[in-house]
Amino acid sequence: MDAKTRVENLPGIGQYYSYKLKRLEIETLEELIYHFPFRYDDFSQIAPIQNLTPGEKVSIQGNVWQIKNIRTRTGKFITTATVADDSGTIEVIWFNQPYLTKNIKAGTPISLSGKVELDGHRFKLMSPQYEIIRTQTAPQDLSTLHTGRLVPVYPETEGVTSKWLRAKIAKFLPEYLKSQKDFMPDNIISHQKLIDLDSALHKIHFPENLQDVSLARKRLGFDELFETQFISAQRKEKWRNKNHAPNMKVEKGKVVEFIKSLPFKLTQAQLRAITEILQDMQKNIPANRLLEGDVGSGKTVVAATAAYISYLNGYETLIAAPTEILVFQHAMTINQLLSPFGIKTGIWTGSKKQKGDITVGTHALLSTFKAEKQIGLVVVDEQHRFGVAQRAKLFTGSPKQETPHLLTMTATPIPRTLTLTLYGDLDLSILDEMPIGRQKISTFVVPNKKRLDAYQFIEKQIMEGRQAFILTPFVEPSETMQSVKAATVEFGKLKNHFSKKVKLGLLHGRLKSKDKEKVIGNFKADKTNILVTTPVVEVGIDIPNATIMMIESAERFGLAQLHQLRGRVGRGEHKSYCLLFSDSQSEMSQKRLKSMEKVHVGFELAEIDLRLRGPGEIFGFRQSGFANLKIADLSDEVLISKAQAEAKKLVENDPNLEKYPLLREKINTFELEYVQPN
Ligand code: ADP
Ligand code: MG
């Protein structure tokens, strides 16, 4: 038996349970052992029977004096037992479990956790959890698993209870530990004051006290963070060593001239980001930089400046965006900024193929684009929609063997700790400052009974010349027929809520791109007043005249995503509003959504979601990048930094882990499963 033994081959598990365990992503012994409790029930205080008081939830331990079944007149069974410890005796009652008398015999040492009740003037322990104390076979701290201790509670699935998991983990843990050696280098263990792996795995499942739990969490969390950081650091090192990039000349005068040509003054944050990316581009190590900034923080102009420098050095630039709508918009913006300098902006999508000195495109860039000159710079907008593999593909199709510089941009405000964890191999520039004069968007969580008022409010705004987005509920992360249908149905219903004067347009991802362009064109030209749309608009379009963003089923989005959607309005001079509707009345949902009313900074909203819902929800959907981070506290910046520092040090000294084969093996398996979000 070893770590990779499949659960169906473990004694006492078999096909039936292994099938169920799959739903918990448990297929091997190791995965069973790494299925961690998410909390513990505290039954650790064992009370002397003499001291019990009614109403109390207690654990007692003693011997069974007698036990018997009584049959009531209605044919039901009651089991009564007398249990004694050194201090006294108590009667114990169970209902409808006659088989108990088969398991529990007079003379058995037993542990019970339950509630004490007063019956007449006698105390009784009603329907307690019970467990026969394992006196000989088990180590002392495992003499009970389900009672009389801190009892671990696990993520469960139908047919697999915590009780079952506890028993199996207790059974197989010793053999698993025997098959394992600690893979973490000794000096890291002592430097970071970690406990050894054996103790950590033992304590996480069967702690004697809460301090055990925190020691175990620290060690196991550190392992995960360290593995992630090591992979990142290794990637970064390989990237630096393997690839050569064009080291470009940056003429300061040209940059200043370009910046002066802009119709606005750059923010300090923009200037800083521009400096950082231009510094990268002067090196022959390919840049790999992430530019993070809220919607409207002005990322495009940063990218445009870098593209301009790439052009001046005689290179092509590719800018990739996730949707055709965004491509057209970027192309227009870039063209406005750079055509005065004689630069031609091209477009490369499924439906339109036209090369430029700078070419903006969709996924079509991956498949059909062939560069004529060396590509000097690749910009990827909204990076979490492009997979790592796809990003890598953007570099091919370049005639020379040089690797372009890479700038990825995201409006998803990822909390810093998560950025460190997920994108440890990227350099980071943050636009944490909005251009001056940006307004706050008044946000309201609207109860369903006020829906008609909301429609009236929208109509009033329209009569004043404004426009509105209505975002329909979505069913799937990607545009499916189902969400298209939802939008279409909603569209039909909505028409009835507005007067004839109000014109509505319908936008969804299944429209042909010609039709899409037309719908958006009509909205831009103010020929339609309301754009009913699926969430495709999220990464979309700039309509300064739109002042209302109404969102259905808002609880299904991450707060950061809602913030992005909200950023679609308030782009012009008019006061703007965001109206959130929700299908869920749960307190948690309401609390989350309410925070949109008060908080207007993307990073803060992301932090709130990180605390309330965990990291997987930040982007709205569960991201595979977190699949291996089961126990690490992703808001623990200190531990993350420590793990990063140790990983960096080790990569510098022993990049291929020649001295640490166990760690190498561990990291190789980890890496297989570890995929960055895409
Ligand atoms: P995002 O970061 O969301 O991609 P954009 O680059 O699209 O933001 O910029 C949003 C709008 O703000 C654009 O109309 C752009 O011209 C404008 N903008 C960018 N930087 C500034 C600035 N420093 N001052 C004023 N407006 C700016
Ligand atoms: Mg943008």
Side-chain angles (χ1 to χ4, degrees):
M1 196 185 293
D2 66 16
K4 301 288 171 256
T5 302
R6 300 192 60 79
V7 283
E8 60 263 34
N9 299 328
L10 294 174
I13 291 193
Q15 289 298 330
Y16 175 78
Y17 279 107
S18 62
Y19 178 74
K20 294 193 178 272
L21 286 171
K22 242 188 201 154
R23 283 195 300 231
L24 295 171
E25 290 168 20
I26 299 172
E27 297 190 32
T28 63
L29 173 59
E30 183 153 83
E31 284 162 355
L32 178 67
I33 300 300
Y34 273 78
H35 189 64
F36 296 138
F38 65 93
R39 68 178 171 87
Y40 303 85
D41 279 336
D42 190 353
F43 290 127
S44 59
Q45 294 308 316
I46 296 163
I49 291 176
Q50 196 184 28
N51 295 358
L52 300 183
T53 50
E56 234 183 347
K57 274 190 139 176
V58 293
S59 294
I60 61 166
Q61 293 189 347
N63 275 297
V64 180
W65 274 13
Q66 60 89 18
I67 180 163
K68 63 173 186 281
N69 286 324
I70 303 168
R71 209 162 171 160
T72 66
R73 250 177 273 155
T74 53
K76 292 191 173 141
F77 282 100
I78 297 177
T79 308
T80 72
T82 310
V83 172
D85 67 7
D86 293 341
S87 72
T89 64
I90 188 167
E91 193 171 345
V92 184
I93 309 280
W94 288 281
F95 299 99
N96 298 320
Q97 302 180 57
Y99 54 85
L100 286 179
T101 54
K102 292 217 173 63
N103 298 340
I104 308 169
K105 305 276 185 206
T108 312
I110 198 167
S111 179
L112 299 161
S113 295
K115 199 166 169 192
V116 182
E117 286 178 22
L118 192 61
D119 182 18
H121 57 277
R122 296 181 57 186
F123 290 170
K124 289 186 176 170
L125 195 56
M126 306 303 284
S127 308
Q129 303 254 27
Y130 78 95
E131 169 172 29
I132 293 162
I133 298 175
R134 302 191 292 167
T135 41
Q136 277 120 39
T137 52
Q140 209 201 341
D141 69 331
L142 289 184
S143 63
T144 63
L145 298 177
H146 316 295
T147 56
R149 63 171 310 124
L150 280 181
V151 177
V153 182
Y154 296 94
E156 300 176 347
T157 182
E158 192 261 308
V160 178
T161 61
S162 282
K163 189 168 183 181
W164 188 91
L165 286 161
R166 250 173 249 143
K168 297 302 172 209
I169 290 170
K171 180 171 169 189
F172 297 119
L173 183 60
E175 297 202 45
Y176 174 79
L177 294 181
K178 246 185 269 164
S179 76
Q180 294 297 301
K181 282 213 190 93
D182 201 334
F183 53 82
M184 189 61 76
D186 285 340
N187 62 339
I188 296 181
I189 290 185
S190 61
H191 192 212
Q192 296 299 334
K193 302 195 174 62
L194 303 171
I195 60 175
D196 65 79
L197 186 60
D198 273 26
S199 315
L201 287 170
H202 191 88
K203 286 182 198 299
I204 198 72
H205 291 293
F206 304 109
E208 282 182 43
N209 49 47
L210 289 174
Q211 201 202 342
D212 277 359
V213 176
S214 77
L215 286 171
R217 285 187 162 270
K218 183 180 168 195
R219 164 65 207 255
L220 298 167
F222 185 89
D223 286 359
E224 290 178 350
L225 295 169
F226 178 82
E227 285 158 24
T228 315
Q229 292 301 337
F230 190 89
I231 291 165
S232 293
Q234 222 178 14
R235 268 190 204 151
K236 194 166 180 169
E237 195 64 19
K238 274 188 199 150
W239 174 257
R240 288 170 158 270
N241 290 339
K242 267 212 185 129
N243 297 296
H244 275 272
N247 49 336
M248 301 187 188
K249 283 209 177 63
V250 177
E251 269 183 66
K252 208 167 166 212
K254 293 279 187 190
V255 181
V256 171
E257 186 193 3
F258 173 70
I259 289 174
K260 280 204 175 134
S261 79
L262 296 171
F264 43 73
K265 194 163 169 284
L266 290 177
T267 63
Q268 285 305 313
Q270 284 171 318
L271 286 169
R272 196 172 55 232
I274 288 172
T275 309
E276 285 162 348
I277 181 70
L278 294 188
Q279 266 165 7
D280 291 347
M281 287 162 67
Q282 293 173 66
K283 299 179 188 151
N284 61 6
I285 303 163
N288 193 8
R289 181 168 291 278
L290 179 63
L291 177 62
E292 267 185 51
D294 262 5
V295 170
S297 59
K299 295 183 289 296
T300 318
V301 66
V302 176
T305 313
Y308 179 47
I309 293 303
S310 167
Y311 165 82
L312 290 177
N313 281 272
Y315 294 100
E316 280 187 43
T317 294
L318 299 185
I319 301 179
T323 65
E324 198 159 32
I325 301 173
L326 248 189
V327 167
F328 294 142
Q329 181 152 322
H330 273 330
M332 210 173 79
T333 313
I334 303 270
N335 189 48
Q336 271 166 9
L337 295 172
L338 291 177
S339 62
F341 298 87
I343 299 176
K344 247 179 58 203
T345 304
I347 289 181
W348 202 269
T349 68
S351 61
K352 199 163 176 178
K353 295 188 174 55
Q354 190 181 63
K355 282 187 188 179
D357 304 306
I358 296 169
T359 305
V360 189
T362 56
H363 281 78
L365 286 173
L366 301 173
S367 45
T368 52
F369 186 84
K370 279 272 173 294
E372 266 141 46
K373 290 186 275 181
Q374 163 72 19
I375 300 167
L377 172 70
V378 171
V379 179
V380 179
D381 197 11
E382 297 301 336
Q383 105 289 348
H384 58 279
R385 280 147 209 275
F386 270 90
V388 173
Q390 291 178 319
R391 269 188 267 161
K393 243 190 132 182
L394 282 167
F395 300 136
T396 57
S398 210
K400 275 200 268 170
Q401 283 309 306
E402 285 182 303
T403 303
H405 296 288
L406 175 60
L407 177 67
T408 36
M409 308 199 289
T410 180
T412 307
I414 313 165
R416 208 187 124 69
T417 55
L418 286 191
T419 312
L420 275 174
T421 313
L422 290 173
Y423 305 109
D425 56 333
L426 308 189
D427 295 312
L428 190 59
S429 294
I430 296 183
L431 299 184
D432 52 4
E433 184 187 353
M434 288 300 243
I436 38 170
R438 286 286 152 77
Q439 47 159 305
K440 257 190 203 155
I441 296 148
S442 295
T443 301
F444 303 97
V445 180
V446 187
N448 270 312
K449 59 176 194 270
K450 293 209 174 155
R451 178 175 286 278
L452 295 182
D453 297 346
Y455 292 143
Q456 264 177 24
F457 177 69
I458 293 175
E459 180 143 357
K460 192 160 155 271
Q461 286 275 311
I462 288 170
M463 290 310 133
E464 286 169 21
R466 304 290 83 76
Q467 290 170 281
F469 293 100
I470 297 183
L471 207 88
T472 56
F474 69 118
V475 192
E476 295 286 323
S478 62
E479 193 92 333
T480 63
M481 277 326 282
Q482 243 172 322
S483 51
V484 170
K485 217 165 112 191
T488 315
V489 169
E490 186 69 20
F491 183 68
K493 279 200 233 149
L494 274 170
K495 279 187 170 165
N496 303 325
H497 288 300
F498 294 99
S499 66
K500 287 258 152 50
K501 282 177 279 181
V502 176
K503 300 211 167 45
L504 293 87
L506 174 63
L507 178 68
H508 59 72
R510 293 285 171 116
L511 290 177
K512 291 209 188 82
S513 63
K514 270 236 169 75
D515 296 334
K516 249 188 260 179
E517 269 181 75
K518 201 168 150 200
V519 173
I520 291 167
N522 282 343
F523 193 58
K524 272 196 165 164
D526 202 11
K527 284 185 196 150
T528 46
N529 313 106
I530 298 178
L531 186 65
V532 180
T533 168
T534 57
V536 286
V537 75
E538 176 188 348
V539 286
I541 47 183
D542 199 3
I543 313 277
N545 191 41
T547 55
I548 295 179
M549 169 62 72
M550 170 171 158
I551 302 174
E552 299 281 358
S553 310
E555 79 282 0
R556 301 201 202 173
F557 293 90
L559 293 181
Q561 259 183 316
L562 286 175
H563 180 68
Q564 276 180 293
L565 290 167
R566 165 166 77 181
R568 294 293 122 207
V569 297
R571 302 199 143 206
E573 69 214 85
H574 305 288
K575 172 94 195 105
S576 294
Y577 305 87
C578 174
L579 308 178
L580 301 173
F581 285 83
S582 160
D583 301 328
S584 162
Q585 292 311 309
S586 90
E587 211 178 302
M588 162 84 142
S589 276
Q590 291 295 316
K591 188 174 158 196
R592 282 182 65 241
L593 291 180
K594 281 275 175 192
S595 58
M596 293 290 298
E597 294 181 349
K598 283 169 250 142
V599 182
H600 293 266
V601 181
F603 286 94
E604 273 178 49
L605 287 166
E607 299 275 0
I608 291 172
D609 248 4
L610 180 61
R611 281 198 303 273
L612 289 181
R613 300 209 303 181
E617 304 292 336
I618 296 265
F619 306 100
F621 305 101
R622 199 166 171 273
Q623 297 284 328
S624 51
F626 299 109
N628 267 0
L629 301 175
K630 295 190 179 120
I631 197 166
D633 176 0
L634 295 183
S635 55
D636 188 345
E637 189 164 352
V638 175
L639 196 64
I640 295 171
S641 303
K642 283 181 176 167
Q644 190 178 44
E646 293 286 4
K648 257 191 189 159
K649 205 161 69 184
L650 191 54
V651 168
E652 277 161 26
N653 294 329
D654 186 0
N656 298 315
L657 297 174
E658 308 287 353
K659 276 184 261 157
Y660 303 102
L662 287 177
L663 180 62
R664 185 172 60 212
E665 194 184 323
K666 186 87 190 162
I667 282 178
N668 283 345
T669 3
F670 191 87
E671 188 162 24
L672 280 181
E673 293 162 25
Y674 174 77
V675 191
Q676 274 190 337
N678 54 48

